């Protein structure tokens, strides 16, 4: 396999990228100057050493001396609530609204319908540990902020089920985003105002 073919194969693994788009990426790179591809390949090769996964909420953040991200370290945040989001992009979109001031947990995926091993799709063990830990710090509400589509709904009911021993034991309220979001809505593509309303009207 030659280099361009191999690059196409690698781009095809990106989320939402098919063979045609992968090919277009490669030809785009060939047309750009060397400086562009040089910077791109340098940033890619350094990504694992310059970005870390937070040991508390599991989002990625620029490397500092700490293993915990600035959001989790922020003592001015409201320890009464923890919001579960599926990925880093959703975390960023919700932060952008500046409406929510609690802590987060990044699930790292969702549970497809009829999935036989849901615990392998999400950070289940870590979530249960985070819930226990946050309970000791006054947690009273878990907000589950997932996409309003069948997979999101399936993940929501699975989360309610696995969290129920803790939520019942400590009387933690579980809330979900209000239906300011319409069916099929993905948080990733929602604007700040829509997310803010969905948060305000959480139920
Ligand atoms: Zn964090």
């Amino acid at each position: 396999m030659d280099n361009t073919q191999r690059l196409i194969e690698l781009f095809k693994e990106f989320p939402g990228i098919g063979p045609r788009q992968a090919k277009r990426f490669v030809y785009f790179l060939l047309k750009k100057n060397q400086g562009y591809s040089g910077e791109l390949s340098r940033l890619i090769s350094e990504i694992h050493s310059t970005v870390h996964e937070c040991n508390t909420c599991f989002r990625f953040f620029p490397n500092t001396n700490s293993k915990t991200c600035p959001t989790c370290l922020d003592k001015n945040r409201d320890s009464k609530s923890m919001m579960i989001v599926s990925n880093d992009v959703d975390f960023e979109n919700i932060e952008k609204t500046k409406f929510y001031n609690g802590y987060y947990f990044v699930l790292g995926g969702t549970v497809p319908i009829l999935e036989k091993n849901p615990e392998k799709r999400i950070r289940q063990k870590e979530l249960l540990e985070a819930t226990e830990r946050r309970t000791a710090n006054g947690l009273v509400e878990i907000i589950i902020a997932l996409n309003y589509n069948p997979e999101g709904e399936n993940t929501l009911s699975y989360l309610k089920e696995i969290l129920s021993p803790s939520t019942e034991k400590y009387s933690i309220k579980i809330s979900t985003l209000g239906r300011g979001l319409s069916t099929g809505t993905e948080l990733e593509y929602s604007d700040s105002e829509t997310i803010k309303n969905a948060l305000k009207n959480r139920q």
Side-chain angles (χ1 to χ4, degrees):
M1 200 182 284
D2 67 26
N3 280 7
T4 46
Q5 212 32 325
R6 184 64 196 132
L7 253 182
I8 291 170
E9 291 304 314
L10 290 174
F11 280 130
K12 264 165 61 184
E13 289 185 33
F14 278 51
I17 300 302
R20 262 176 51 137
Q21 282 154 310
K23 234 178 243 177
R24 285 176 60 196
F25 285 179
V26 172
Y27 288 110
F28 168 79
L29 283 175
L30 285 169
K31 273 190 260 163
K32 291 296 255 188
N33 60 28
Q34 286 231 356
Y36 184 90
S37 48
E39 187 182 11
L40 183 68
S41 57
R42 181 180 61 81
L43 290 173
I44 291 174
S45 68
E46 289 172 0
I47 198 162
H48 289 289
S49 57
T50 53
V51 179
H52 276 176
E53 195 179 78
C54 173
N55 64 359
T56 304
C57 71
F58 296 91
R59 75 179 178 94
F60 292 109
F61 69 104
N63 198 1
T64 56
N65 286 327
S66 170
K67 288 194 162 70
T68 312
C69 80
T71 314
C72 290
L73 287 174
D74 185 354
K75 293 272 177 284
N76 292 321
R77 289 206 162 235
D78 184 1
S79 54
K80 289 201 288 292
S81 60
M82 174 171 81
M83 186 185 293
I84 303 176
V85 291
S86 103
N87 57 50
D88 288 75
V89 179
D90 292 349
F91 162 88
E92 277 165 27
N93 277 342
I94 288 165
E95 271 301 275
K96 233 172 30 197
T97 67
K98 295 190 173 35
F99 183 73
Y100 176 70
N101 191 39
Y103 292 102
Y104 289 88
F105 184 88
V106 181
L107 209 49
T110 47
V111 180
I113 294 165
L114 301 176
E115 169 63 49
K116 287 201 178 68
N117 303 302
E119 71 286 352
K120 290 197 178 133
R121 295 297 196 126
I122 56 171
R123 298 187 175 108
Q124 175 163 326
K125 193 169 110 321
E126 293 87 343
L127 172 63
L128 298 178
E129 283 167 5
T131 307
E132 286 289 324
R133 203 173 48 240
R134 296 229 173 265
T135 302
N137 287 312
L139 180 71
V140 293
E141 182 185 14
I142 295 176
I143 304 168
I144 304 180
L146 298 171
N147 292 336
Y148 190 26
N149 58 22
E151 191 159 320
E153 297 292 292
N154 187 54
T155 310
L156 172 65
S157 38
Y158 181 70
L159 290 180
K160 281 182 174 169
E161 187 189 311
I162 59 163
L163 286 168
S164 69
S166 303
T167 52
E168 279 163 26
K169 188 167 152 198
Y170 305 112
S171 331
I172 299 166
K173 183 187 172 208
I174 289 199
S175 47
T176 55
L177 292 187
R179 293 313 176 205
L181 297 176
S182 48
T183 313
T185 302
E186 298 196 14
L187 278 181
E188 191 175 338
Y189 304 112
S190 303
D191 58 66
S192 284
E193 206 49 39
T194 309
I195 297 177
K196 208 158 113 183
N197 283 329
L199 268 169
K200 219 184 278 177
N201 302 320
R202 65 182 183 271
Q203 48 211 197

